[in-house]
Amino acid sequence: MKPGSDRLLDVEELTVRFGTEDGAVLAVDAASFALGPGEVLALVGESGCGKSVTALALTGLLPRSAAVSGRITFAGRNLPGLAERELRRIRGRDIAYVFQEPMTSLNPVLTVGRQIGEVLRRHQGMGGSAARRRAAELLELVGIPLPHRRLGEYPHQLSGGMRQRVMIAMAVACRPRLLVADEPTTALDVTVQAGILDVLRTLRAEIGTAVLLITHDLGVVADIAERVVVMYAGRTIEEAHAEALFARPSHPYTRGLLDAVPNPARHADGGLREIPGRVPVLATSPDACTFADRCGHADGVCRTRRPAFARGPAGHLVRCWHPLAVPVPP
Amino acid sequence: MTPTLEIVDLVKHFGPVRAVDGVSLTVGVGEVVGLVGESGSGKSTLGRCVTRLVPVTSGQVRIRGRDIALLSRRALRPLRRDFTIVFQDPSSSLNPRMTVGDIIAEPLRLHRLGSAATRRARVIDLLDQVGLPADVVRRYPHELSGGQRQRVSLARALSASPSLLVADEPTSALDVSVQASVLNLVGRLQRDLGFACLFITHDLASVEFLAQRVAVMYLGLLVEIADRAELFAAPRHPYTQALLSAAPIPDPAVQRARRRIVLSGDVPSPVDPPPGCRFHTRCPVAVERCAVDVPPLRPVGPAGALVACHLVDDDGTAPEVSAAMPAPSLGS
Ligand SMILES: Nc1ncnc2c1ncn2[C@@H]1O[C@H](COP(=O)(O)OP(=O)(O)OP(=O)(O)O)[C@@H](O)[C@H]1O
Ligand SMILES: Nc1ncnc2c1ncn2[C@@H]1O[C@H](COP(=O)(O)OP(=O)(O)OP(=O)(O)O)[C@@H](O)[C@H]1O
Ligand SMILES: [Mg+2]
Ligand SMILES: [Mg+2]
């Protein structure tokens, strides 16, 4: 988003370290990004790069073994400075979460209606028939047919796609200003996935909810995200409008990620492109580019100096000593 | 030539669940057939029946001409080396207490193929083929990355030189970049070793990359089988059309201008599938007849495609299913 415009969420230099038996893990390394009201921002990157940890850190959901530093400003308030009681109020009411596996987040012994009703009671003090009516409205909003019948059903009676919709219905019950969706469609087939993405679009249009969408599916990103933040080994390494990122990736890692996606137009010339090597798990933040070992453009500077998050040749933010010099179209 | 795999009218019911309800499909020698379709349509169940991991209710599974569908476990044992399966999650299918070397050699040992020395040599050879360094033989699965583990499961599946490999979502648990390397590997091994492959996935792009033919499944039945190029260029069954239209293209400029066929209505249950065409309850172009008559999977068009739809003509002309811009859905 443009600097200076009012921000809903502003994450600055977020750092998360875990103490584990095998030593420290630097899961998030001074990550910075911001989200405007009603904006859909995608956070992408390979497994283990710190996407989920970033999402959980926002509202203090990480275990005690995590040491968190940095600034997280939400609607003008510094979240890490708030008491747990206050955070709990923000969670669910202002910031809602949806995770990949709805079955583990839904209570198997309560009906869908009871579970949505509970959220409405807790956060909005709504009860009885008003809650029931609102619950049915919410199911309808997320595209579940016959909502009144579904309210009386248990999670196991629903398909995976419907369970995920119920999760979203619960998440938006209080009209949150920010929805954090961590791989919300990964377990679903493409027709169901497309329906869930429609639901996110609807929420944005109807309630003005901003969405932080975590995914590694670049097709999903292309479908719905306005802006994209790419993470690598805990660092945010590129940030741009979706169109610009796909058309003119500036970081060699982003380029590699885009090239690895199967693309029929390229199949003929010798298979899919791979990125050799793997994402490092780091204990401390090196004075180097963390992608240098896998990068075809890396030189001495990359191995000895930390690149800053700077404006790249295509006008978007990139953390690279040798950003790809793609000409900006007229 | 006898096809490597010939599935004839295969049925698999789990109690009242009609998971696979009469499927016929052939995979030729050295051919890769992609199997796609809705979640819960029976793809994995079909793969597990073919490799006899679950008992078959009825029908035939001919592997190089020999029907194994109803063979006893005992009669099956010596034949098992000829067909293998790899799964989505390599960490749950590899024994965590065995070294990589032992895991890969296990099928050879079980089938008493070669001496200990030739088996060791074969393991090194297989590691090389799947692109892993020889020193991983002494490592344990948890010491490897997801992509490396999937390479180990491929090496193991291919160790006894099977003529058929069933791959059930082999790349779904992997990162895009690792996915690319595993897909490249499967493609290369398949060309080099010439095994036939039933490749199950919900990732249409990888099917387009790897498969020569594609079969589409809906609620326990195949609704379309066609050559890859034909299927992707001109899908005929309305469900296939919907499926392809819903797969997002990783390019915002293209994706955002695209229209999609929106399927409304509930996904029906395999316990109580709809009468007539099983897709008619959600089909945007269904007519009265579709709710009554079961459409057979029949040849249409000049190139030998098979489609189960009353609305597709014998010459291959398919109904046009209108697509919409993905408007915010406000329920049905
Ligand atoms: N509770 C924890 N204790 C120790 N390390 C952790 C913990 N949670 C996460 N990590 C580590 O932090 C790093 C970032 O993990 P995270 O779950 O954020 O990755 P991710 O980008 O969400 O990956 P994926 O795409 O696989 O979900 C990883 O190296 C992970 O192993
Ligand atoms: N062991 C089992 N017992 C009872 N029902 C089962 C069993 N295994 C599968 N089913 C049911 O059979 C149907 C087909 O499932 P299957 O796993 O084959 O689908 P799939 O096409 O592989 O789906 P996905 O794309 O989600 O992997 C589903 O309704 C499923 O719930
Ligand atoms: Mg994650
Ligand atoms: Mg399956």
Side-chain angles (χ1 to χ4, degrees):
Chain A
M1 55 176 283
K2 282 185 224 81
S5 67
D6 54 339
R7 295 171 173 190
L8 179 66
L9 175 73
D10 203 344
V11 175
E12 292 165 275
E13 308 263 310
L14 176 68
T15 300
V16 181
R17 245 187 215 93
F18 288 101
T20 73
E21 279 172 26
D22 307 331
V25 172
L26 180 64
V28 181
D29 183 5
S32 298
F33 60 92
L35 198 67
E39 191 181 29
V40 181
L41 176 74
L43 196 54
V44 304
E46 271 171 292
S47 183
C49 71
K51 306 181 294 293
S52 297
V53 169
T54 299
L56 295 172
L58 295 180
T59 60
L61 283 173
L62 289 170
R64 281 177 195 287
S65 60
V68 183
S69 66
R71 278 178 306 283
I72 301 164
T73 316
F74 177 76
R77 302 170 81 187
N78 179 35
L79 296 188
L82 296 180
E84 171 55 28
R85 205 162 48 93
E86 193 57 25
L87 277 176
R88 209 174 310 133
R89 213 181 346 245
I90 288 180
R91 238 181 267 137
R93 198 190 53 194
D94 299 310
I95 303 181
Y97 284 85
V98 175
F99 296 105
Q100 174 175 343
E101 203 5 276
M103 214 40 194
T104 55
S105 328
L106 287 171
N107 187 334
V109 299
L110 293 183
T111 63
V112 166
R114 274 286 294 280
Q115 298 189 53
I116 302 178
E118 178 56 23
V119 175
L120 292 169
R121 192 185 59 73
R122 200 171 50 221
H123 289 289
Q124 310 211 301
M126 204 186 260
S129 60
R132 221 177 153 71
R133 234 186 351 263
R134 176 78 183 129
E137 271 169 32
L138 286 163
L139 289 189
E140 187 155 0
L141 178 76
V142 298
I144 290 184
L146 306 174
H148 284 283
R149 201 184 87 198
R150 294 295 178 195
L151 286 178
E153 293 187 346
Y154 292 88
H156 74 265
Q157 291 174 285
L158 308 177
S159 70
M162 251 192 266
R163 283 198 288 263
Q164 195 57 287
R165 283 168 194 243
V166 169
M167 280 303 298
I168 295 178
M170 283 168 63
V172 302
C174 306
R175 306 177 157 256
R177 298 161 79 179
L178 174 63
L179 179 69
V180 181
D182 192 348
E183 306 275 7
T185 61
T186 304
L188 307 172
D189 70 67
V190 289
T191 51
V192 181
Q193 166 173 292
I196 298 279
L197 297 181
D198 282 349
V199 169
L200 295 183
R201 266 187 281 268
T202 306
L203 290 176
R204 216 187 117 198
E206 306 263 311
I207 312 183
T209 302
V211 182
L212 177 61
L213 177 71
I214 296 177
T215 179
H216 58 244
D217 186 330
L218 296 169
V220 169
V221 175
D223 193 64
I224 194 168
E226 296 170 82
R227 272 187 321 119
V228 187
V229 170
V230 185
M231 282 184 84
Y232 185 81
R235 293 180 183 173
T236 44
I237 57 133
E238 183 159 5
E239 178 187 324
H241 280 281
E243 287 83 356
L245 187 101
F246 280 81
R248 298 177 297 280
S250 199
H251 198 289
Y253 173 69
T254 311
R255 167 93 266 168
L257 214 51
L258 293 174
D259 283 349
V261 176
N263 175 345
R266 286 202 309 259
H267 289 174
D269 50 83
L272 307 172
R273 270 178 244 160
E274 307 170 17
I275 308 174
R278 55 198 276 206
V279 190
V281 177
L282 301 167
T284 54
S285 183
D287 267 327
C289 169
T290 44
F291 186 59
D293 289 343
R294 301 171 75 187
C295 183
H297 305 264
D299 61 12
V301 178
C302 307
R303 295 197 175 85
T304 52
R305 287 177 59 201
R306 173 196 310 261
F309 216 15
R311 222 153 273 280
H316 54 241
L317 291 173
V318 59
R319 193 190 292 282
C320 176
W321 288 115
H322 308 293
L324 301 174
V326 239
V328 184
Chain B
M1 200 164 23
T2 317
T4 301
L5 171 66
E6 225 178 330
I7 303 169
V8 185
D9 214 12
L10 187 78
V11 174
K12 172 64 192 176
H13 293 175
F14 295 100
V17 180
R18 297 159 74 167
V20 175
D21 217 14
V23 163
S24 300
L25 179 67
T26 305
V27 182
V29 177
E31 186 184 34
V32 181
V33 173
L35 181 60
V36 299
E38 188 146 272
S39 250
S41 59
K43 304 181 296 294
S44 295
T45 302
L46 185 65
R48 298 171 82 91
C49 285
V50 164
T51 47
R52 281 292 310 269
L53 294 178
V54 290
V56 169
T57 303
S58 68
Q60 295 180 12
V61 175
R62 299 179 160 275
I63 294 191
R64 291 202 291 159
R66 171 143 190 200
D67 183 11
I68 62 152
L70 303 168
L71 285 186
S72 68
R73 279 177 173 277
R74 206 154 141 214
L76 199 60
R77 205 170 302 138
L79 306 177
R80 279 210 174 270
R81 56 178 283 203
D82 207 26
F83 49 92
T84 50
I85 184 163
V86 291
F87 297 102
Q88 167 169 353
D89 184 2
S91 33
S92 64
S93 54
L94 299 178
N95 185 336
R97 274 181 283 277
M98 282 168 76
T99 62
V100 166
D102 288 342
I103 288 171
I104 297 176
E106 193 181 28
L108 300 171
R109 223 171 30 245
L110 289 178
H111 296 295
R112 300 205 177 81
L113 299 172
S115 63
T118 56
R119 290 203 288 260
R120 265 197 302 278
R122 172 86 178 132
V123 168
I124 301 299
D125 184 40
L126 283 160
L127 283 173
D128 182 53
Q129 288 193 19
V130 299
L132 289 173
D135 63 20
V136 303
V137 284
R138 278 180 300 278
R139 309 259 290 269
Y140 289 87
H142 74 265
E143 299 175 81
L144 305 178
S145 72
Q148 288 174 321
R149 281 199 288 263
Q150 199 55 287
R151 284 166 192 264
V152 171
S153 22
L154 274 169
R156 177 197 143 112
L158 299 174
S159 64
S161 307
S163 41
L164 174 71
L165 174 73
V166 176
D168 190 357
E169 309 260 14
T171 61
S172 310
L174 306 174
D175 276 321
V176 207
S177 64
V178 184
Q179 242 173 50
S181 71
V182 172
L183 287 174
N184 279 338
L185 176 66
V186 174
R188 184 169 54 72
L189 290 172
Q190 196 272 329
R191 280 190 304 276
D192 292 354
L193 307 177
F195 53 84
C197 179
L198 182 63
F199 181 69
I200 302 170
T201 184
H202 60 242
D203 180 16
L204 295 167
S206 63
V207 165
E208 197 168 4
F209 172 67
L210 217 51
Q212 281 107 53
R213 275 191 311 136
V214 186
V216 184
M217 203 158 174
Y218 185 82
L219 209 63
L221 294 175
L222 291 181
V223 297
E224 180 157 3
I225 308 174
D227 284 339
R228 168 194 44 201
E230 192 180 3
L231 187 111
F232 281 98
R236 291 192 173 98
H237 195 283
Y239 175 69
T240 314
Q241 294 189 38
L243 189 69
L244 296 197
S245 81
I249 293 173
D251 179 348
V254 178
Q255 176 61 20
R256 287 175 199 189
R258 250 172 112 216
R259 291 165 174 275
R260 169 163 68 82
I261 298 167
V262 178
L263 298 180
S264 58
D266 259 338
V267 181
S269 151
V271 172
D272 185 21
C277 171
R278 291 189 178 185
F279 185 56
H280 87 264
T281 53
R282 300 169 72 207
C283 182
V285 292
V287 296
E288 239 166 72
R289 177 179 177 203
C290 304
V292 184
D293 297 339
V294 177
L297 191 63
R298 67 187 217 284
V300 302
L306 300 174
V307 182
C309 175
H310 295 307
L311 302 174
V312 174
D313 292 338
D314 288 341
D315 67 4
T317 313
E320 188 152 335
V321 186
S322 66
M325 286 306 280
S329 74
L330 287 168
S332 58

